[in-house]
Amino acid sequence: MKSALFVVGNFDDNGGRASSYGEGFVKACLKNHQFDIHEIINGGKFDDLKNIDFTLYDTIFWFASVPNDKPKLVDNIKKINPFCMLVTSKRNDGQNGYTLPQLIARALHTKSNLLVEFKRLPGSVTGTVFDPLGNCYARKWITAFGVPHVESFWSSWDLAAILIDRLKVLHTFRRKSSHKIGEAIPVPDSVCKSGFFDLVREYANKFSELIPTHTERFLGNTSFRCASGFPSFRDGKTVFVSKRNIDKRGIDKEGFVAMSDILDEVAYYGDNKPSVDAPIQVLLYRNFPRINFMIHSHTYVSYAVMTSTVIPCGAIDEVCEIQKIVPYRDCNWFFINLRGHGSICAAENIDILQNIRYYARPLPEIQVIKG
């Protein structure tokens, strides 16, 4: 986190209004982490926001309050700077408040890495830190009648400490960019006849029932390997991964993207990008040569072992977490729960993937930050 932009306060055509709470929150963030460069914009004219060069910053805190009839500039931040860490906020008080699934859907839409829910109460403001997977970050467990509850922070210092703590962790995760290396490769007919697509559609409908939000990104992804038995592939090193952001409830052979299992980068064929989790699955196929099919969902599997670290979608660090649980390369199946994320079920043949017992992740899922 070398450079940061903080945008707080109100912005409109009349010059807006600075936020005293926003000012205090920014000071608390800067005390918790020293950025090499930082810029603070606290209230002003809406047109001034259009002149911001988002490419200059590694981390962007977008807490601007703008009229509803103005363009949603936040929707374009990740399009302009896809590699930045984006923290957004949502005020959520009053009679027409947002549900947590609605907040998560908004975070997914803006591609936020973290979202802060603010609530204004008489004489005070509270904030709660969430991520787009529905995790709530806290320093301790809070229970009411034996049920875990989210931890809301009454002071800007406590809120900033948790937020910066999680951002530091997010900056350590590794990702691989993807690029096209050739024209599209069709799915082999033998896979179409195998019943794998029918199984994926069946599970996708189950996931839709279990996950309390109607965003397709929450349904995970699926993949299979073209082993040496497919004569149309000269090297036997092709992996097919579901396309990015498609509804798996109707998936067929047109819903998959061919990828190379030879190159170290994320290399795909055709004009459609693979799922954001594709780098993880390609590496898993390489590390576990007997695995031919995978199903990843944002639900948990009964009796499966849980990883120890909350890792966001697409970070290849998840491969190491899985290998800690499955250290043997010659295994022909594994079912693993990915903490704060979902699960991945992998198998040598389709029969092993039948009748998996999935259940919904808690929402929110509380993650206690140590320290």
Side-chain angles (χ1 to χ4, degrees), residues 5-245:
L5 170 68
F6 297 87
V7 182
V8 299
N10 291 270
F11 297 82
D12 56 33
D13 294 333
N14 301 316
R17 185 177 70 257
S19 167
S20 58
Y21 181 87
E23 180 181 359
F25 172 76
V26 172
K27 288 181 179 179
C29 287
L30 294 175
K31 287 183 179 179
N32 277 278
H33 183 76
Q34 186 65 47
F35 297 93
D36 293 340
I37 302 172
H38 72 267
E39 181 180 356
I40 304 169
I41 303 175
N42 189 357
K45 290 187 176 181
F46 176 80
D47 285 345
D48 294 338
L49 297 179
K50 298 178 182 179
N51 299 322
I52 297 174
D53 185 353
F54 295 115
T55 64
L56 300 176
Y57 308 97
D58 303 307
T59 308
I60 298 174
F61 299 81
W62 188 267
F63 293 175
S65 176
V66 300
N68 291 329
D69 61 346
K70 295 294 185 181
K72 302 296 182 183
L73 300 180
V74 65
D75 293 353
N76 295 320
I77 292 178
K78 275 295 184 79
K79 296 176 183 177
I80 298 170
N81 185 357
F83 300 108
C84 76
M85 286 289 165
L86 176 61
V87 183
T88 58
S89 69
K90 202 69 177 176
R91 181 172 171 178
N92 194 20
D93 48 31
Q95 294 182 344
N96 299 317
Y98 300 94
T99 65
L100 184 52
Q102 289 174 325
L103 291 175
I104 292 170
R106 181 59 185 163
L108 286 168
H109 176 74
T110 58
K111 294 181 171 60
S112 301
N113 298 93
L114 293 172
L115 180 141
V116 181
E117 177 195 40
F118 286 109
K119 290 187 177 182
R120 184 175 295 278
L121 303 175
S124 64
V125 177
T126 68
T128 308
V129 181
F130 295 98
D131 70 16
L133 290 171
N135 293 293
C136 166
Y137 294 90
R139 293 169 303 181
K140 59 187 177 181
W141 285 95
I142 298 178
T143 60
F145 305 105
V147 179
H149 281 243
V150 299
E151 181 180 17
S152 296
F153 300 100
W154 294 83
S155 76
S156 58
W157 172 265
D158 291 336
L159 176 64
I162 285 291
L163 187 59
I164 294 296
D165 224 10
R166 183 57 187 168
L167 275 173
K168 288 179 180 178
V169 174
L170 289 176
H171 273 283
T172 66
F173 293 131
R174 299 165 295 159
R175 296 179 180 273
K176 288 192 174 186
S177 58
S178 59
H179 67 278
K180 176 181 175 180
I181 59 171
E183 296 306 312
I185 298 176
V187 171
D189 290 337
S190 54
V191 178
C192 300
K193 298 174 183 178
S194 68
F196 180 61
F197 298 158
D198 292 332
L199 184 64
V200 172
R201 289 192 290 265
E202 177 184 337
Y203 281 133
N205 279 287
K206 179 66 173 178
F207 301 152
S208 296
E209 296 172 2
L210 291 175
I211 299 169
T213 175
H214 301 290
T215 170
E216 294 167 4
R217 292 185 65 187
F218 255 30
L219 297 178
N221 72 340
T222 184
S223 62
F224 58 89
R225 182 212 303 269
C226 278
S228 56
F230 295 101
S232 59
F233 297 93
R234 61 183 181 273
D235 52 39
K237 292 291 185 180
T238 303
V239 171
F240 282 86
V241 182
S242 54
K243 292 179 182 178
R244 186 168 300 185
N245 297 338

Side-chain angles (χ1 to χ4, degrees), residues 349-355:
N349 58 66
I350 298 171
D351 291 341
I352 298 174
L353 297 175
Q354 299 284 346
N355 302 315

Side-chain angles (χ1 to χ4, degrees), residues 225 236-239 259-263 267 282-283 285-286:
R225 182 212 303 269
K237 292 291 185 180
T238 303
V239 171
M259 302 185 64
S260 171
D261 187 21
I262 300 176
L263 304 176
V282 170
L283 287 173
Y285 281 119
R286 188 179 302 177

